[in-house]
């Protein structure tokens, strides 16, 4: 479903030069993608670590990487380089109902 611009959550867009060279927006977008990729890898490593000390080391690195990812996201959002669609009340209600149904049908009581 496509949304109109009034349904966008964003800050004013910080302008960057439109040239063939990478600009600040390109660089920070690449950094965010890298951090997301790294947290996915650490997540898998955490699930498969059998040694307690190794698990704790990976968890520490994962947490640091996740925090860095969040900081990069916040910078991009503040500059207007990361846009999201606002959920309508109906969309929120549908999601709530969907997950409430999961709880009653798929989780033991």
């Amino acid at each position: 479903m496509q949304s109109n611009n009034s349904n966008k959550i964003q800050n004013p867009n910080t302008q960057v030069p439109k040239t063939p060279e990478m600009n600040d927006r390109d660089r920070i977008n690449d950094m965010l993608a890298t951090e997301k990729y790294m947290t996915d890898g650490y997540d898998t490593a955490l699930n498969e670590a059998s040694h307690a000390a190794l698990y704790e080391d990976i968890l520490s690195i994962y947490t640091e990487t996740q925090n860095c990812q969040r900081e990069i996201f916040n910078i991009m959002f503040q500059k207007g380089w990361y846009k999201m669609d606002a959920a309508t009340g109906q969309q929120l209600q549908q999601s709530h109902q969907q997950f409430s149904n999961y709880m009653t049908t798929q989780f033991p009581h």
Side-chain angles (χ1 to χ4, degrees):
M1 173 164 80
Q2 291 209 348
S3 63
N4 59 24
N5 285 338
S6 65
N7 207 23
K8 294 279 184 198
I9 299 172
Q10 70 184 78
N11 289 309
N13 191 12
T14 302
Q15 295 299 315
V16 291
K18 295 183 187 215
T19 64
E21 293 83 29
M22 286 184 72
N23 57 45
D24 288 345
R25 182 178 182 267
D26 296 332
R27 287 183 189 91
I28 200 164
N29 193 46
D30 186 54
M31 290 169 58
L32 182 61
T34 300
E35 295 296 327
K36 287 180 177 182
Y37 176 77
M38 289 172 56
T39 56
D40 285 345
Y42 290 133
D43 186 46
T44 300
L46 287 168
N47 288 334
E48 298 177 1
S50 61
H51 190 274
L54 177 61
Y55 175 86
E56 291 300 323
D57 286 343
I58 295 170
L59 180 59
S60 176
I61 296 166
Y62 171 86
T63 301
E64 184 179 325
T65 304
Q66 184 65 43
N67 290 340
C68 186
Q69 177 184 326
R70 182 66 184 174
E71 288 177 36
I72 293 169
F73 164 82
N74 285 336
I75 291 168
M76 289 187 70
F77 184 72
Q78 290 167 359
K79 292 187 172 288
W81 296 339
Y82 201 105
K83 300 169 183 77
M84 296 175 279
D85 291 331
T88 65
Q90 182 181 6
Q91 289 169 323
L92 292 173
Q93 185 61 35
Q94 287 171 342
S95 292
H96 179 266
Q97 186 63 45
Q98 178 183 3
F99 289 105
S100 294
N101 289 342
Y102 289 160
M103 287 179 53
T104 59
T105 61
Q106 299 196 13
F107 297 131
H109 295 280

